[in-house]
Amino acid sequence: MTLTKAVIPGSFDPITYGHIDIIQRSATRFDEIHVCVLKNSSKSGLFSLDERIELIEESVKDLDNVQVHNFNGLLVDFCTKIGAQTIIRGLRAVSDFEYELRLTSMNKKLNDEVETMYMMTSTNYSFISSSVVKEVAQYKANVSDFVPEHVERALNDKFRKFE
Ligand code: PNS
């Protein structure tokens, strides 16, 4: 029997309900979901790799077929390493399209065997991004509609340290 494996890559700095929505829905369609934290060289991080992984693990602890990893390298190399041929990304709005097209085209060029599939983010979460959540959390706005409680706590702790 062949197991269907999919990789959900991202910076996850930090994980939001938008990410969790995509992970939960993908987990009903694939045997194994591998959430992978990778480096996005155009973003500087708020949370360390270990902190991001911890926050993701807590968020997906009830999903038996979801594993969390980090990988210091190319996404397609991570896919090869674990034997996955599918990447899943969430698409929120038309504004995501150009960036995602660049990402997918490059990954396809690097490894033609790996296919990227897109899932529309549920409309409730279509405006949420880690960047916007960080932006408002630093001014102590309530972010409980956008991230789980443990992530909100981590954000508050982080910004308290900067005061
Ligand atoms: O959540 P993000 O920041 O939109 O995710 C982007 C990410 C981390 C998936 C992307 O930057 C990535 O794949 N980084 C690893 C390096 C890589 O494989 N780059 C080639 C694609 S441009």
Side-chain angles (χ1 to χ4, degrees), residues 41-86:
S41 45
S42 56
K43 289 181 183 169
S44 61
L46 175 67
F47 290 98
S48 71
L49 260 184
D50 286 346
E51 288 170 332
R52 292 181 213 188
I53 300 241
E54 225 173 90
L55 295 175
I56 302 170
E57 277 174 344
E58 177 66 22
S59 309
V60 301
K61 64 174 193 277
D62 296 331
L63 299 170
D64 293 340
N65 61 339
V66 176
Q67 294 173 46
V68 186
H69 313 255
N70 75 72
F71 189 72
N72 187 12
L74 289 173
L75 168 57
V76 290
D77 290 342
F78 175 73
C79 293
T80 304
K81 184 180 154 203
I82 65 157
Q85 292 188 322
T86 310

Side-chain angles (χ1 to χ4, degrees), residues 9-12 19 36-41 43 71 73-77 89 99-100 102-104 106-107 110:
S11 312
F12 300 103
H19 296 122
C36 187
V37 183
L38 293 125
K39 188 172 165 45
N40 181 337
S41 45
K43 289 181 183 169
F71 189 72
L74 289 173
L75 168 57
V76 290
D77 290 342
R89 295 275 295 173
Y99 168 62
E100 293 298 333
R102 260 185 288 136
L103 215 76
T104 297
M106 180 51 81
N107 286 331
L110 293 167

